Amino acid sequence: MAYGVVMEFDRFFKFSQLLLRDEFVLSYSGYVSEDILLAVGETLRARLEDHARDGTQIRNVFSIFVELMQNIIRYGVEGPQPGDGAGEKPSFGIVMVSENEGHMDVIAGNYVLPDEAEQLVERVEQLQSQSPEELRRMYRERLRKSPDESSKGASLGLIEIARRSTLPISCESTQTSDGLCFFMIKATV
Amino acid sequence: MDLKLEATSRTPAINLDASAGSLTLSGESYPEDVTGFYAELTSALNAYFESEATALAVDIRLTYFNSSSARALMELLEQLDDAAARGVDISVNWFCDPDDDITREFAEDIAADVRSARVTICDLDVD
């Protein structure tokens, strides 16, 4: 248990250091819903007007943000402190946009079930080594599959993130003390 | 069978004008409920094609659409292509921001399987 607490502070400390070092554009941490996506997305766009180099960078960062938030809504779980009440509970997630020597990093993290985490890591790894042409071919192919056939391969949203990221996307999954995994993914524009 | 929807911050304006034989989609598309949002257009178009319509000119002027909307747009083009295969004269002008190569590629990929309708990808005038 103590180890878990130390890890939490460790992560929190890293987070705080990042905020101090980099030009910080926006961060959201909490339950993620479609309403939150809209509100934070509009704030992000307004902030990007001041920070981004051009319209293309704004569009790519915003698009990646939308796909990451929707992935959290779809695949995330509510995390270690579930709210009360029955029915569908929103997923917990963190998203951060920071400016680093002219690049924009978009990082998202959320709790997922261990099986899901393993699949997500596999899918991101599948995309990492692909050329733009190959990513485009995968996008085309994926578009023509129904979302129900989603058991194999990266989702359309994940492929879009990889295509809009100017560096290969990366990810990491860390087991948490409560039997969940915290999945983190990063794109750079 | 006319359909007129005002744009919201996350859904496009849609204008299906049966007497003019035109359909325009403009604005941004990342609806909370993509399927529900585009279902309304699908049924309006079905009614339009059932009314012995002979032609439809479509303008797509979307400045942003998310990946779920991409799939909905592909289904829209499939519906238009089916009508074209049955003899309706259908032309689609899809306007993309000239600075946004990826979205243009998305549009090309979404329209890749269209056989009977005419699809032209054009530059969107950006101010």
Side-chain angles (χ1 to χ4, degrees), chain A residues 75-131:
Chain A
Y75 307 115
V77 295
E78 50 192 311
Q81 278 91 44
D84 47 45
E88 221 169 278
K89 289 171 191 149
S91 323
F92 179 86
I94 298 176
V95 63
M96 186 178 78
V97 180
S98 59
E99 191 184 353
N100 197 354
E101 292 171 358
H103 299 293
M104 293 271 177
D105 289 329
V106 191
I107 311 182
N110 63 296
Y111 292 96
V112 291
L113 298 171
D115 286 358
E116 190 74 47
E118 208 175 298
Q119 280 194 344
L120 281 167
V121 171
E122 236 169 72
R123 287 167 189 179
V124 170
E125 283 171 353
Q126 267 172 22
L127 298 175
Q128 278 171 337
S129 52
Q130 309 295 343
S131 65

Side-chain angles (χ1 to χ4, degrees), chain B residues 18-90:
Chain B
S19 57
S22 68
L23 166 67
T24 309
L25 283 80
S26 57
E28 305 208 324
S29 181
Y30 57 116
E32 178 167 354
D33 172 17
V34 181
T35 317
F37 179 77
Y38 282 96
E40 205 176 343
L41 176 57
T42 306
S43 35
L45 279 172
N46 276 334
Y48 176 72
F49 293 133
E50 278 162 18
S51 71
E52 298 178 9
T54 55
L56 184 67
V58 183
D59 269 7
I60 301 176
R61 296 172 180 275
L62 297 175
T63 47
Y64 169 65
F65 55 89
N66 68 344
S67 66
S68 320
S69 297
R71 194 167 265 123
L73 290 168
M74 189 187 66
E75 283 160 9
L76 168 66
L77 287 184
E78 280 171 0
Q79 186 186 12
L80 296 173
D81 201 36
D82 287 348
R86 293 193 306 267
V88 184
D89 179 21
I90 293 185

Side-chain angles (χ1 to χ4, degrees), chain A residues 34 59 67 136 144 163, chain B residues 10 67 100 105 108 113:
Chain A
E34 287 286 345
R59 186 171 19 238
E67 300 302 330
R136 183 174 183 184
R144 283 163 177 83
R163 288 185 72 179
Chain B
R10 61 192 304 177
S67 66
D100 186 5
E105 287 177 6
E108 289 169 1
D113 286 350

Side-chain angles (χ1 to χ4, degrees), chain A:
Chain A
M1 197 61 203
Y3 179 71
V5 171
V6 170
M7 285 302 286
E8 289 298 321
F9 279 125
D10 185 39
R11 214 174 277 139
F12 186 74
F13 178 67
K14 282 180 191 160
F15 186 62
S16 73
Q17 292 304 290
L18 198 56
L19 301 190
L20 293 174
R21 199 164 43 234
D22 294 342
E23 181 83 30
F24 174 61
V25 180
L26 180 139
S27 163
Y28 173 82
S29 159
Y31 290 97
V32 179
S33 63
E34 287 286 345
D35 290 345
I36 295 285
L37 159 66
L38 182 63
V40 180
E42 297 206 325
T43 310
L44 173 63
R45 263 187 178 158
R47 300 291 307 263
L48 286 171
E49 292 289 339
D50 300 332
H51 289 264
R53 350 174 243 280
D54 53 27
T56 306
Q57 193 181 31
I58 295 179
R59 186 171 19 238
N60 287 336
V61 169
F62 180 74
S63 305
I64 289 169
F65 166 84
V66 169
E67 300 302 330
L68 286 173
M69 292 287 268
Q70 291 194 321
N71 277 346
I72 295 175
I73 294 168
R74 278 185 210 130
Y75 307 115
V77 295
E78 50 192 311
Q81 278 91 44
D84 47 45
E88 221 169 278
K89 289 171 191 149
S91 323
F92 179 86
I94 298 176
V95 63
M96 186 178 78
V97 180
S98 59
E99 191 184 353
N100 197 354
E101 292 171 358
H103 299 293
M104 293 271 177
D105 289 329
V106 191
I107 311 182
N110 63 296
Y111 292 96
V112 291
L113 298 171
D115 286 358
E116 190 74 47
E118 208 175 298
Q119 280 194 344
L120 281 167
V121 171
E122 236 169 72
R123 287 167 189 179
V124 170
E125 283 171 353
Q126 267 172 22
L127 298 175
Q128 278 171 337
S129 52
Q130 309 295 343
S131 65
E133 294 73 26
E134 187 59 22
L135 287 173
R136 183 174 183 184
R137 193 196 59 74
M138 290 168 83
Y139 181 88
R140 242 186 221 234
E141 206 176 275
R142 183 75 216 183
L143 195 59
R144 283 163 177 83
K145 284 185 191 157
S146 74
D148 304 336
E149 299 169 66
S150 63
S151 53
K152 279 183 199 156
S155 67
L156 205 58
L158 208 52
I159 303 173
E160 172 158 357
I161 293 166
R163 288 185 72 179
R164 291 194 182 273
S165 180
T166 47
L167 292 178
I169 55 174
S170 55
C171 76
E172 203 174 301
S173 165
T174 304
Q175 280 212 324
T176 60
S177 52
D178 26 43
L180 293 171
C181 285
F182 194 73
F183 174 76
M184 295 168 275
I185 176 169
K186 177 182 153 187
T188 302
V189 178

